[in-house]
Amino acid sequence: MDWNSVSFDWNQVRAFLATVEKGSFSAAARALGLAQPTLGRQVAGLEADLGVTLFERLGKSLILTEAGQELLGAVREMGAAAGRISLTAAGQSQTIEGLVRISVGDALATCLLPPILARLADIAPGIVIELIVSNELSDLRRREADIAVRHVRPTEPELIARFIRDSRARLYAAPAYLARYGRPTSGADLRGALIVGFERGERLLEVLRAHGLAVERENFRHYTNNTVVGWEMVRQGLGIGIMMEEVAAATKGVELVLPGFTPIPVPIWLTTHRELRTSRRIRLVYDFLAEELGRISV
């Protein structure tokens, strides 16, 4: 290899790749934990070292130049290789101290994980936990997280998963809502009910209909993509909501609606990258979460 031909550093390449993927200097800086001027200087440094212009500005937008397009494939290969290096190194780490990042949905993160993490801190005080709270699936292959709590089984061959158990989701409402609109006794009674939707679209509507509930789009007066916010809407009496039994049991001010309603199964899977299972700290957290999530009961 001609070492003298490599005149740039990885930080510059990383800044360029993040800018391409995020679409702007500001978004890339946030993703990398940098100040925007610092990231801009790194991209400018890469352009100077390579002797090419990588971006052109069009209004407020960044447009990748032809030279940038030519380099992008090789840069993405470098990014993938860098990720594999970090993944392999993390997998070989035998210390039980350090950072473990857990991706988890907002409802579980708010209502169920804090006491579990408190017990983990007692037995492994050297482990630092970062919760990545999102209802979207984190990409474990790209190290967006070390461990993920999911409601679907992963299909990627690089990932391994453990089925923890099936939780169950039921219908709940606040006493104030039931006092105003009455207490339904059958699925047909939901024709005029107000329902809080945790997502827009047809999926929740189809699920409820499949379970014998007479609901239409008009039943949904409030939507949010944040489950915790939606659950608070339910608690404040804005409508009926669907929630996992464990979360409802930990919430004051909600009552079960339609006790005869067949619960909706909510599978809980614990997922990590295959190579990370050789890391003692990640294995410890993974096994501890599996045990603790498995023993939660209503």
Side-chain angles (χ1 to χ4, degrees):
M1 178 173 179
D2 182 5
W3 298 105
N4 293 324
S5 66
V6 181
S7 59
F8 56 86
D9 66 37
W10 165 242
N11 286 327
Q12 295 173 340
V13 176
R14 187 178 70 146
F16 167 64
L17 183 57
T19 302
V20 172
E21 295 192 344
K22 297 300 181 180
S24 69
F25 286 148
S26 58
R30 288 193 297 271
L32 297 180
L34 300 174
Q36 183 175 333
T38 300
L39 182 131
R41 285 193 297 270
Q42 290 180 347
V43 173
L46 181 62
E47 291 179 320
D49 289 343
L50 297 178
V52 297
T53 299
L54 299 172
F55 294 104
E56 292 178 349
R57 288 192 175 274
L58 184 62
K60 295 183 179 180
S61 301
L62 287 176
I63 305 299
L64 200 59
T65 65
E66 184 176 346
Q69 291 281 5
E70 288 289 331
L71 291 173
L72 186 56
V75 168
R76 282 186 166 141
E77 290 179 7
M78 288 183 64
R84 290 193 296 271
I85 291 170
S86 297
L87 194 64
T88 302
Q92 295 303 316
S93 173
Q94 293 304 303
T95 180
I96 56 172
E97 297 181 348
L99 176 66
V100 177
R101 294 173 298 166
I102 304 170
S103 172
V104 62
D106 49 18
L108 289 178
T110 302
C111 299
L112 300 185
L113 275 196
I116 293 176
L117 296 181
R119 292 189 288 273
L120 175 63
D122 289 338
I123 67 169
I127 291 180
V128 177
I129 297 294
E130 177 185 351
L131 284 187
I132 301 169
V133 181
S134 173
N135 295 325
E136 302 295 326
L137 297 182
S138 295
D139 191 342
L140 301 186
R141 297 171 301 175
R142 300 184 63 182
R143 293 300 306 280
E144 291 180 357
D146 300 312
I147 298 170
V149 184
R150 295 180 173 179
H151 297 307
V152 294
R153 183 175 187 172
T155 57
E156 302 90 336
E158 305 96 324
L159 304 184
I160 58 174
R162 184 186 302 183
F163 175 71
I164 305 303
R165 60 184 172 84
D166 269 329
S167 178
R168 303 190 301 177
R170 293 180 178 272
L171 298 175
Y172 298 91
Y177 171 87
L178 297 174
R180 287 198 306 272
Y181 295 99
R183 187 179 297 275
T185 59
S186 69
D189 291 345
L190 293 185
R191 293 186 188 279
L194 302 181
I195 300 176
V196 176
F198 295 151
E199 59 179 22
R200 292 190 68 88
E202 298 294 327
R203 188 172 65 169
L204 180 58
L205 189 61
E206 291 172 357
V207 169
L208 295 179
R209 285 174 175 171
H211 282 72
L213 302 182
V215 294
E216 302 293 340
R217 185 179 294 277
E218 291 72 21
N219 292 102
F220 294 85
R221 300 286 182 84
H222 297 89
Y223 288 94
T224 176
N225 63 350
N226 185 298
T227 310
V228 174
V229 173
W231 188 230
E232 181 63 17
M233 290 180 180
V234 173
R235 204 177 70 84
Q236 293 296 330
L238 293 179
I240 297 171
I242 186 166
M243 181 54 67
M244 294 169 56
E245 290 178 321
E246 301 91 331
V247 174
T251 304
K252 295 180 179 179
V254 294
E255 297 182 16
L256 181 65
V257 176
L258 292 179
F261 168 71
T262 302
I264 298 173
V266 182
I268 299 176
W269 290 88
L270 202 60
T271 308
T272 189
H273 196 285
R274 189 174 301 278
E275 292 194 31
L276 294 181
R277 288 295 298 276
T278 59
S279 166
R280 287 184 63 196
R281 72 177 186 276
I282 293 175
R283 179 62 182 263
L284 185 151
V285 174
Y286 185 91
D287 291 342
F288 187 83
L289 287 176
E291 180 179 352
E292 293 290 317
L293 290 171
R295 71 170 57 175
I296 294 176
S297 59
V298 180

